[in-house]
Amino acid sequence: MIPVKGYEGAQVAVLGLGRSGLATARALRAGGAEPVCWDDNPAAREAAEADGFTCRDLHKGGAFDGVAALITSPGIAHLYPKPNPVIRAAMEAGVPVDNDIGLFFRSFADAEWQMHDQPPRVVAVTGSNGKSTTVALLHHILQEAGRESQLAGNIGRGVLDIDPPGNGGVVVLELSSYQTELARALTPDVAVFTNLSPDHLDRHGGMGGYFAAKRRLFAEGGPDRAVIGIDEDEGLFLAGQLSEAAGDDRVIRISAARKLTGPGWQVFARKGFLSEYRKERQAASIDLRGMTGLPGAHNHQNACAAYAAARTLGLAPRLIGDAMATFPGLPHRSQTIAESGGVRYVNDSKATNVDSAVKALSAFKNIRWICGGLEKDGGLEGLQGQTGNVVKAYVIGREAAGFALQLDVEAEVCTTMAAAVERAIEDAQEGDTVLLAPAAASFDQYDNFEQRGEDFTAEVNKRLG
């Protein structure tokens, strides 16, 4: 646990008592604060009270009298599409609003670090797609190198629930736009921006607000090193803002779309090979083509990001490459779950938006594509012209018929996962890939994308025996 500093003896309100909320309350208590908790869910309040916390209805007038700060869970809206009533009440009372990420960065450093030969480091990764794979891959590389590493944030443990790091320890954080937008402190040693595509636009008031939330990770804290994906204009702009000159190697530019040149520090992937260039000379090359845990150009971009971050931490290229070769991949992210009769079955349920689905579709050939679900803002126009590898689509979801009409490939309306898997298996021929890459949210039929991926896996396994 990382005890929260700066609130000794003060009342601090905690809104939302899920995984991160309870961890926050415990860390506040460990730091000497008096947490006052609330969640609209009675079961969540009961769990907090069983842990010894006081619950107070923060909707009531005067609830913020004597309160030093409000710490809110990331899923609770604080501005768009409209502020949660409790957060609005805190702001009207002049009470600062923060989240667990902000508390982590203000509390992470410890006096005992003076005894370390190498101080602990924090690597924080944000972006639209690839964050989870990037942080998991970096964590895997560090462990294979014998370095102490902890995975936290939007994956793994809550940031305040991790163990105090030891000598040279590394904390690898996945941070969503919800987390970076509100945190009052953001001071990673290394910050990584993977890419940007439309997502969560209602929560951020549009694309500009979404990018601004991501940009805060770099603008607020001034990391020692920044790894920036420049395959979109926003990343190119961000890299330019952070650089003092073309040769400024505090900024490492990465790409999975083209060769990068220039006097600076670049890492890029082309035709399945990762290359590192420094001062216009090649420093390393890694063959990614046979790495089953990193299929497709989108995963090659993730590999570039993790490689660049690992290099900033002093790891050698050969060690990084050897570790990448043993990376198993993450569940629900281009995860091969079965192979039978020359047909490969791939679970990419995490492809919840059009951009991530397009990247999945480019990673395989002869695709029997299971797609559909709750459409996100922006519709499906981005799929047009991107389905050249698709033999046929099998559409699920409550609005499957409407979804299917927007596709530029042959599509069969299946509605349920069971029907889609059954029809895809019946049609599949040797050399095909049955791919779940929904290009939509899961909430019309499932609680989350993990449950959707597990349903796909179960249906495949049931039919393959």
Side-chain angles (χ1 to χ4, degrees), residues 8-77:
E8 294 84 354
Q11 274 197 359
V12 179
V14 178
L15 177 63
L17 299 173
R19 184 191 64 149
S20 67
L22 276 177
T24 297
R26 294 184 186 114
L28 282 163
R29 182 169 60 188
E34 181 186 343
V36 177
C37 303
W38 183 255
D39 192 299
D40 290 341
N41 184 344
R45 297 198 301 270
E46 289 177 9
E49 289 171 343
D51 205 354
F53 294 110
T54 298
C55 288
R56 177 196 302 170
D57 189 346
L58 298 176
H59 294 274
K60 293 184 176 179
F64 288 98
D65 293 348
V67 170
L70 170 65
I71 312 303
T72 180
S73 293
I76 302 174

Side-chain angles (χ1 to χ4, degrees), residues 406-450:
Q406 300 178 67
L407 302 180
D408 59 356
V409 295
E410 179 186 354
E412 180 176 338
V413 175
C414 298
T415 306
T416 67
M417 184 68 74
V421 170
E422 181 177 18
R423 292 292 299 122
I425 290 177
E426 288 175 355
D427 292 346
Q429 301 176 19
E430 184 175 352
D432 287 354
T433 296
V434 175
L435 170 68
L436 171 66
S442 58
F443 304 123
D444 60 333
Q445 291 181 310
Y446 302 95
D447 291 338
N448 47 54
F449 73 84
E450 293 96 340

Side-chain angles (χ1 to χ4, degrees), residues 123-430:
V123 180
V125 179
T126 195
S128 296
N129 300 307
K131 297 186 298 297
S132 295
T133 297
T134 298
V135 296
L137 177 58
L138 178 58
H139 177 61
H140 175 79
I141 292 168
L142 289 165
Q143 289 187 315
E144 290 293 297
R147 294 281 295 272
E148 177 193 318
S149 177
Q150 297 184 75
L151 194 59
N154 223 31
I155 190 174
R157 301 164 72 180
V159 290
L160 294 171
D161 197 36
I162 67 170
D163 301 321
N167 183 48
V170 181
V171 178
V172 184
L173 301 181
E174 178 190 339
L175 298 183
S176 71
S177 57
Y178 293 0
Q179 294 168 312
T180 57
E181 183 178 42
L182 189 60
R184 296 173 69 90
L186 286 167
T187 55
D189 297 285
V190 181
V192 180
F193 177 87
T194 58
N195 50 57
L196 198 78
S197 61
D199 207 358
H200 310 304
L201 300 189
D202 60 334
R203 176 67 181 265
H204 297 294
M207 196 68 179
Y210 179 47
F211 175 53
K214 301 287 189 185
R215 182 180 175 277
R216 288 192 75 244
L217 182 63
F218 304 84
E220 295 295 320
D224 296 334
R225 298 276 188 183
V227 177
I228 310 293
I230 61 168
D231 289 339
E232 292 85 29
D233 289 343
E234 291 86 354
L236 195 62
F237 171 79
L238 180 59
Q241 280 205 314
L242 296 173
S243 300
E244 294 295 333
D248 186 352
D249 68 359
R250 295 174 305 163
V251 177
I252 308 175
R253 292 167 171 82
I254 64 169
S255 173
R258 63 189 187 277
K259 179 179 180 179
L260 301 180
T261 59
W265 193 351
Q266 289 105 8
V267 179
F268 61 89
R270 287 185 71 206
K271 298 180 179 179
F273 285 87
L274 180 153
S275 297
E276 176 189 3
Y277 274 72
R278 300 189 73 171
K279 299 180 180 179
E280 301 185 274
R281 300 186 64 179
Q282 187 170 17
S285 178
I286 297 173
D287 187 350
L288 302 173
R289 293 174 299 174
M291 297 184 184
T292 57
L294 296 167
H298 61 303
N299 275 309
H300 292 175
Q301 183 189 52
N302 300 334
C304 289
Y307 175 93
R311 292 288 282 137
T312 70
L313 297 172
L315 274 62
R318 178 173 292 182
L319 188 155
I320 298 171
D322 290 345
M324 284 180 170
T326 64
F327 180 62
L330 280 180
H332 314 297
R333 296 162 176 86
S334 293
Q335 175 195 19
T336 297
I337 59 169
E339 291 190 42
S340 177
V343 178
R344 185 177 184 181
Y345 297 85
V346 178
N347 169 19
D348 201 341
S349 184
K350 185 62 171 67
T352 58
N353 57 41
V354 167
D355 184 68
S356 56
V358 166
K359 290 175 178 176
L361 293 176
S362 69
F364 306 96
K365 303 294 184 183
N366 304 321
I367 297 171
R368 303 284 174 177
W369 179 29
I370 298 177
C371 58
L374 188 64
E375 284 186 45
K376 291 192 171 182
D377 290 345
L380 303 178
E381 289 185 10
L383 290 170
Q384 299 299 311
Q386 304 296 322
T387 54
N389 291 336
V390 177
V391 178
K392 182 179 177 181
Y394 306 81
V395 187
I396 63 173
R398 293 179 183 172
E399 304 298 329
F403 196 102
L405 287 173
Q406 300 178 67
L407 302 180
D408 59 356
V409 295
E410 179 186 354
E412 180 176 338
V413 175
C414 298
T415 306
T416 67
M417 184 68 74
V421 170
E422 181 177 18
R423 292 292 299 122
I425 290 177
E426 288 175 355
D427 292 346
Q429 301 176 19
E430 184 175 352

